[in-house]
Amino acid sequence: MTLTNDRPRARGIEPRTTVPQAVGPTYFPLAFVARLPFAMMVVGVLTLVVAATDSLTLGGATSGMVGLGAAVCGPLIGAWADRSGQRRALLATAVVHSILLLVLTLAVFLAVPAAVVLAVGFSIGASAPQVPPMSRSRLTGVIRTRLPAARRPVALSRTMSYEATVDEVVFVFGPFVVGALATLFGPAAPILAASALTALAVGAFALHSSGRVAPPPGPSARTAGTTAAGAAGPPPVQAPVRELFSGRVLVLVAGFLGIGLFFGSVLTALSAYTGDAGHSERAGLLYGFMGIGSALTALAVVVFPARFSLRARWLVFAVVQLAGAVVVATASSTGMLLAGLLIAGLGIGPSLVTIYSLGSERSPVGRTATVMTMLGSAIILGQSAASAATGLLADTFGTSAAMAVPVVAAGVVAGAAAANWRLGRAPAAVEAQASATDA
């Protein structure tokens, strides 16, 4: 049965007016738990390798290889999902990823050569199930195929706001979970928990009924509509791969790379700052303070007026993030540091929501999951690279040098926002419609 919903009552279908009604009551809790292993991955690997080998260098290098693997292979997994469906891609990667996490645990305690540890780290990142971007892609498909056309712009904006907020919460909560499990049960506990969560939660997410929704056709797709599970229909239409590397897509990837650099550099710099005071375990608390502000402003995006366009939003809040980073770098007290983290967080939340919304609008035909995965991979790559580089700076030149790295990262975000301002002029009408949250 075709679910176009343009004339639902004429087909005997009751229109679904909200996203929760369309996906069912279990979807959002399941999607939240299923993305937690992804947020635990980099920090968990770092904790395990350092504890088992007593080598900060090997630990940082291994976590960097995890990020590199995710960045290289994440978009390929997204492309696989676009072509063959999310269920197959998620189930296969969940099985492989769970096994590799166990292999790494055995490898570090058996004192295998460092090259083997690095190779396993890369494989862990390469096989990571891409739950966050696939959730966005799946929800975008639900909105465009199962909701009445009049409600789609508002539903898409609110859903991207929610998804960005959840990512903020998970990226803050993930390191906290890793630290708590490692403290209570040993350094291997976070990786073992991530392995179990991947097998159970990601497997359940893959099998959820929402996974049968076909990818939504883009504005230039020449298909009759999107079909539900089991329905016969035309083969999926996909834009050429080269469209993924257009300036309008790559500028979004650059923005997310900058945000990932900011996450990684802030967490590592805060570890150096609190370590100087003899309380390194408090770094997560300070980091969480930034995440709270980011989550709150991400939710506030839904009340922004339509005339506050997406490209203007990103530029404004990128400047806010940069201002907060400068305050962090120049803070002379913990109070000033907290103020800077709060200001930076206020800028990050809306930037995340805006870039995801732009990614949804700019995805080439049939490539939504690929674009969303490119964005998610850019964050994890930036986080891994910045963690390693900031740690090296802290060891070599001291905490003050490490505290300056978030300024550079925020500058990358602001530069991408400025480039997007110029690239976004032509389709401003389309983006204005996407930002019409008060329609």
Side-chain angles (χ1 to χ4, degrees), residues 59 159 190-191 339:
T159 300
I191 293 298

Side-chain angles (χ1 to χ4, degrees), residues 59-432:
T62 306
S63 63
M65 292 298 288
V66 171
L68 181 62
V72 170
C73 297
L76 300 179
I77 295 173
W80 180 16
D82 277 332
R83 182 169 296 276
S84 302
Q86 288 193 12
R87 283 190 167 181
R88 185 176 299 178
L90 283 168
L91 287 173
T93 53
V95 171
V96 174
H97 189 71
S98 295
I99 293 173
L100 286 171
L101 289 172
L102 298 178
V103 169
L104 179 66
T105 304
L106 290 175
V108 294
F109 285 110
L110 292 177
V112 301
V116 175
V117 176
L118 293 174
V120 176
F122 179 88
S123 301
I124 287 173
S127 62
Q130 301 291 322
V131 173
M134 289 195 189
S135 176
R136 288 178 176 83
S137 176
R138 189 180 296 191
L139 291 172
T140 298
V142 168
I143 289 168
R144 292 183 178 174
T145 60
R146 293 186 176 181
L147 265 64
R151 290 194 53 84
R152 291 173 192 169
V154 175
L156 181 62
S157 179
R158 290 177 177 174
T159 300
M160 291 302 104
S161 176
Y162 167 82
E163 287 283 301
T165 303
V166 170
D167 274 351
E168 277 292 297
V169 173
V170 168
F171 268 100
V172 171
F173 189 57
F176 172 79
V177 171
V178 169
L181 290 175
T183 300
L184 293 174
F185 303 108
I191 293 298
L192 297 178
S195 176
L197 274 177
T198 299
L200 298 175
V202 175
F205 178 77
L207 296 174
H208 191 272
S209 59
S210 61
R212 294 195 296 265
V213 178
S220 60
R222 298 181 180 180
T223 56
T226 304
T227 57
V237 176
Q238 286 190 314
V241 174
R242 65 176 180 273
E243 293 191 18
L244 293 170
F245 300 98
S246 68
R248 285 166 50 77
V249 173
L250 291 181
V251 72
L252 306 180
V253 176
F256 262 37
L257 177 65
I259 291 177
L261 291 171
F262 191 81
F263 285 158
S265 60
V266 167
L267 181 58
T268 307
L270 289 177
S271 297
Y273 178 84
T274 55
D276 289 345
H279 299 288
S280 59
E281 72 280 359
R282 296 181 182 177
L285 296 177
L286 300 181
Y287 186 77
F289 189 83
M290 180 185 72
I292 292 173
S294 180
L296 291 176
T297 50
L299 287 174
V301 168
V302 297
V303 303
F304 290 166
R307 61 182 178 274
F308 191 11
S309 67
L310 294 178
R311 66 194 185 108
R313 293 178 190 179
W314 185 11
L315 187 59
V316 167
F317 287 104
V319 172
V320 173
Q321 179 185 348
L322 180 58
V326 171
V327 175
V328 168
T330 58
S332 57
S333 65
T334 302
M336 283 188 63
L337 177 64
L338 291 176
L341 291 171
L342 176 60
I343 295 170
L346 295 176
I348 292 173
S351 293
L352 282 170
V353 175
T354 300
I355 299 173
Y356 274 128
S357 296
L358 289 169
S360 174
E361 290 299 316
R362 296 178 183 178
S363 296
V365 176
R367 301 285 185 180
T368 305
T370 307
V371 171
M372 294 298 179
T373 308
M374 289 170 65
L375 298 179
S377 298
I379 282 189
I380 199 71
L381 175 62
Q383 183 187 37
S384 300
S387 295
T390 308
L392 180 61
L393 281 174
D395 287 339
T396 306
F397 300 105
T399 299
S400 59
M403 299 298 283
V405 180
V407 178
V408 178
V412 173
V413 180
N420 180 72
W421 175 264
R422 296 180 61 85
L423 290 171
R425 285 181 178 178
V430 175
E431 293 177 6

Side-chain angles (χ1 to χ4, degrees), residues 46-75:
L46 176 65
T47 301
L48 173 66
V49 176
V50 171
T53 66
D54 198 27
S55 171
L56 184 59
T57 300
L58 180 57
T62 306
S63 63
M65 292 298 288
V66 171
L68 181 62
V72 170
C73 297

